Amino acid sequence: MTALDLSSPVAVVGSGTMGQGIAQVALVAGHPVRLYDAVAGRAREASAAIGARLDRLVEKDRLTAAERDAARARLLPVDGLAGLADCALVVEAVLERLDVKQELFRALEDVVGEDCLLATNTSSLSVTAVGGALRNPGRFVGLHFFNPAPLMPLVEVVSGFATDVTSATRAYETARAWGKTPVACADTPGFIVNRIARPFYAEAFAVYESQGADPATIDAVLRESGGFRMGAFELTDLIGQDVNESVTHSVWQSFFQDVRFTPSLAQRRLVESGRLGRKTGQGWFDHRGDAGAGERPEPHTAERHRPPAHVVAEGDLGPAAELLAMIREAGIPVHEEEEDHGTRLMLPGGGHLALADGQTSVEFRDVVYFDLALDYRKATRIALSASQDTSAQALSEAIGLFQALGKDVSVIGDVPGMIVARTVARIVDLAHDAVAKGVATEEDVDTAMRLGVNYPLGPFEWSRRLGRTWAHDLLEELHLREPSGRYAPSLALYRHGHAADRREGTS
């Protein structure tokens, strides 16, 4: 099954930001486009707005004047659904209410031809439920674009329970012909991106709620150590706290209140107070200053400490093995001791420095934990975690060591799994769980998370880099310390790790 022919008219129902964006994508790809909105006059206003955006594309040399003029000539606002009768594809981008969408598609089914593909852009509703109102749900599919649609490359092509393979394939190939990167997924709450991305927000909020660190520090660690483009607090301020919480709540409810997707009480209070982020001037941060920037608090950064005279490496440090070479390059002697399972550095004062593993500093004598980094050489900030019982000397030597490597250091509370490590472990776990349940392939999951939310690595790329058992072992330790079920490793992740054990000849 191939993509729709460019001569085939495409309709977009709903002329808000997303509807305009989808219409622009189809238009620039070369289709005649019909634009309809239930509110009189809105489709014409939206057509004018699209025309203005085409002008800007010409100014930026992304379209020629002739291409713009041809695209404008192909765009037709219509006053009723009857104007969509000859369309080969209708994409809906209206209010996120099941009854509204079902009523629209029932009406469309009486207007368009039998071979017309019907698609919803819903981000939170069940594609199966929306299509369930149709006489022929086999031609119904989800086409989930990301905002802004003309710029974001990802499109999730969602097959409902009754969607025909031919319909899903045609939608997939059409999205690809439009210059997008489509990924195929089953109809599951949150699809790929909004399902697997929940821990990125949830774990940041959990660290904050436990008073482990403030929002500015957590965001800085996620960016400067984890390699994420934005931190969870600044990103939800940009998205809108109400919008982000609504998606989280929808996924949580759709999974029958699965504890892994539990919404944040702190975010709920923010929404209740009307502090919705940039659009209201206040969210986690103050955006009321010049150009909405406000007075952004600085992350906690430790004062200068002297580096240790030497360190003793017990084992190879696992995912942080690169640190040994970096320490030597900084002029600090490294003495190595062979340990079968060692992943620690011994400091001169008797303290130990260990990569976050889901345990807490208070359980041990003078253990300082350091967080996971995407790339320890490129990271500009490292988080350390210590308990109130950790000696001042151990913490000082740990801070001084990372400062000698050119890093800013943020000391957070005694948080098991810290910030980046627990976030990545949970994302990896949800990704394995989704693939095991037939939601999508590993390749499509990685593509979706890199393109849909700009993650530095896809979950399976992270998993391969960190080792097959790393995420499982960290989550298992977290689960022992917080046995609510939130951190219990999925069966898929358990099988993944144990399969590796068998291949490596261990029990």
Side-chain angles (χ1 to χ4, degrees), residues 27-43:
L27 197 62
V28 171
H31 288 273
V33 174
R34 313 278 189 265
L35 187 59
Y36 170 72
D37 196 292
V39 178
R42 286 233 179 124

Side-chain angles (χ1 to χ4, degrees), residues 207-232:
V207 172
Y208 167 74
E209 289 173 338
S210 68
Q211 300 188 36
D214 60 276
T217 299
I218 295 169
D219 275 1
V221 172
L222 286 168
R223 288 193 313 269
E224 299 174 41
S225 183
F228 293 96
R229 186 168 297 185
M230 299 180 74

Side-chain angles (χ1 to χ4, degrees), residues 33 83 158 172 191 242 261 331 381:
V33 174
V158 186
Y172 184 98
F191 310 142
D242 53 339
F261 303 101
R381 182 178 300 273

Side-chain angles (χ1 to χ4, degrees), residues 199-453:
F200 179 74
Y201 313 107
E203 294 312 307
F205 298 160
V207 172
Y208 167 74
E209 289 173 338
S210 68
Q211 300 188 36
D214 60 276
T217 299
I218 295 169
D219 275 1
V221 172
L222 286 168
R223 288 193 313 269
E224 299 174 41
S225 183
F228 293 96
R229 186 168 297 185
M230 299 180 74
F233 296 90
E234 59 186 334
L235 180 55
T236 53
D237 266 2
L238 178 63
I239 295 169
Q241 298 302 331
D242 53 339
V243 174
N244 180 260
E245 192 211 27
S246 176
V247 173
T248 298
H249 196 271
S250 173
V251 172
W252 176 61
Q253 289 282 23
S254 297
F255 276 114
F256 307 105
Q257 300 186 357
D258 187 329
V259 68
R260 295 176 301 167
F261 303 101
T262 302
S264 162
L265 181 59
Q267 188 179 40
R268 175 92 290 262
R269 293 292 178 260
L270 206 64
V271 172
E272 289 174 338
S273 70
R275 298 187 174 193
L276 307 182
R278 288 181 178 272
K279 61 186 176 184
T280 61
Q282 285 183 289
W284 295 111
F285 302 114
D286 188 344
H287 303 279
R288 295 173 295 180
D290 292 341
E295 292 294 327
R296 184 66 56 86
E298 292 294 323
H300 168 76
T301 302
E303 296 180 355
R304 299 297 303 180
H305 288 255
R306 295 184 63 180
H310 68 272
V311 296
V312 178
E314 299 178 340
D316 64 3
L317 296 187
E322 181 67 13
L323 285 175
L324 296 180
M326 294 169 60
I327 293 169
R328 289 190 179 95
E329 291 164 14
I332 300 172
V334 177
H335 308 298
E336 295 191 52
E337 292 185 358
E338 290 190 9
E339 293 283 342
D340 288 342
H341 302 288
T343 55
R344 302 189 300 180
L345 291 174
M346 183 179 290
L347 301 167
H352 287 82
L353 187 60
L355 176 62
D357 59 7
Q359 301 182 85
T360 58
S361 294
V362 76
E363 300 170 55
F364 307 99
R365 184 175 180 272
D366 277 359
V367 169
V368 178
Y369 281 104
F370 64 95
D371 208 350
L372 181 68
L374 172 68
D375 184 327
Y376 283 98
R377 286 193 177 275
K378 294 180 180 179
T380 57
R381 182 178 300 273
I382 295 292
L384 300 181
S385 174
S387 77
Q388 59 185 8
D389 297 327
T390 304
S391 71
Q393 182 178 359
L395 183 57
S396 175
E397 289 176 344
I399 294 170
L401 176 63
F402 280 103
Q403 289 175 336
L405 304 184
K407 316 300 182 187
D408 287 330
V409 175
S410 292
V411 179
I412 69 171
D414 192 12
V415 178
M418 302 192 67
I419 297 170
V420 179
R422 71 194 291 171
T423 299
V424 170
R426 288 209 59 219
I427 289 170
V428 167
D429 183 48
L430 288 188
H432 276 278
D433 183 56
V435 169
K437 291 176 177 173
V439 174
T441 65
E442 291 186 8
E443 181 181 3
D444 276 356
V445 166
D446 277 355
T447 297
M449 302 313 291
R450 282 189 282 101
L451 298 184
V453 277

Side-chain angles (χ1 to χ4, degrees), residues 475-504:
L475 290 174
E476 196 168 54
E477 294 291 351
L478 273 168
H479 178 57
L480 287 173
R481 287 151 185 80
E482 189 177 322
S484 64
R486 176 188 181 109
Y487 299 104
S490 67
L491 179 59
L493 195 62
Y494 177 83
R495 285 173 170 159
H496 178 73
H498 278 262
D501 284 346
R502 287 197 301 276
R503 279 193 291 273
E504 293 164 6

